[in-house]
């Protein structure tokens, strides 16, 4: 399966989550296109405009849980290039210290914008420790299972 991972990251927290997701997808045999939306466009990463089977979008949140302009720009470019994809899953990082209503607000907004049926992945600040590593792996496996490329039984064997 062809997977596009696009993210924006201010301090590196969302980048670390994206890296873990990419590693998991690649370990499962998927081809991954990697886009750092902070400094790369869809056209730069995919000059032939090739479509993908799954889009994984990640973001940190600015100003009371809003989506950073770089991710908004990327989403506009994505829709202009391929329309509004059906298979979009969203992940994000945030800080509950700014209020639960703002925590991972960009991820929530992006998921709502696309009307995704996939669960969101939300990580407090930066991923650290076994707990977050397992959370990221399970989320990735769940998304892959929902697309039919990994069965729930396979995912259960991977996470006893």
């Amino acid at each position: 399966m062809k997977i596009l991972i696009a993210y924006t990251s201010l301090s590196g927290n969302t980048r670390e989550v994206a890296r873990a997701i990419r590693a998991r997808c690649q370990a499962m045999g998927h081809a991954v296109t990697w886009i750092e939306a902070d400094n790369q466009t869809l056209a730069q990463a995919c000059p032939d405009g090739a479509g993908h089977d799954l889009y994984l979008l990640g973001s940190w949140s600015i100003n009371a849980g809003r989506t950073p302009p770089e991710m908004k720009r990327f989403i506009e470019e994505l829709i202009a290039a391929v329309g509004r994809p059906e298979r979009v899953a969203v992940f994000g990082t945030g800080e509950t210290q700014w209020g639960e209503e703002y925590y991972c607000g960009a991820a929530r907004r992006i998921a709502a914008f696309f009307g995704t049926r996939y669960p969101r992945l939300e990580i407090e600040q930066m991923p650290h420790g076994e707990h977050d590593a397992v959370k990221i792996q399970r989320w990735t496996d769940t998304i892959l299972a929902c697309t039919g490329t990994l069965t729930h039984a396979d995912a259960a064997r991977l996470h006893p």
Side-chain angles (χ1 to χ4, degrees), residues 6-46:
Y7 72 92
T8 182
S9 185
L10 177 66
S11 61
N13 296 341
T14 310
R15 179 183 311 111
E16 288 305 312
V17 175
R19 284 179 178 159
I21 293 167
R22 176 179 63 181
R24 186 65 173 170
C25 290
Q26 289 174 329
M28 302 306 287
H30 300 290
V32 177
T33 300
W34 179 260
I35 298 178
E36 297 178 24
D38 297 321
N39 56 24
Q40 190 178 22
T41 66
L42 180 63
Q44 289 170 326
C46 306

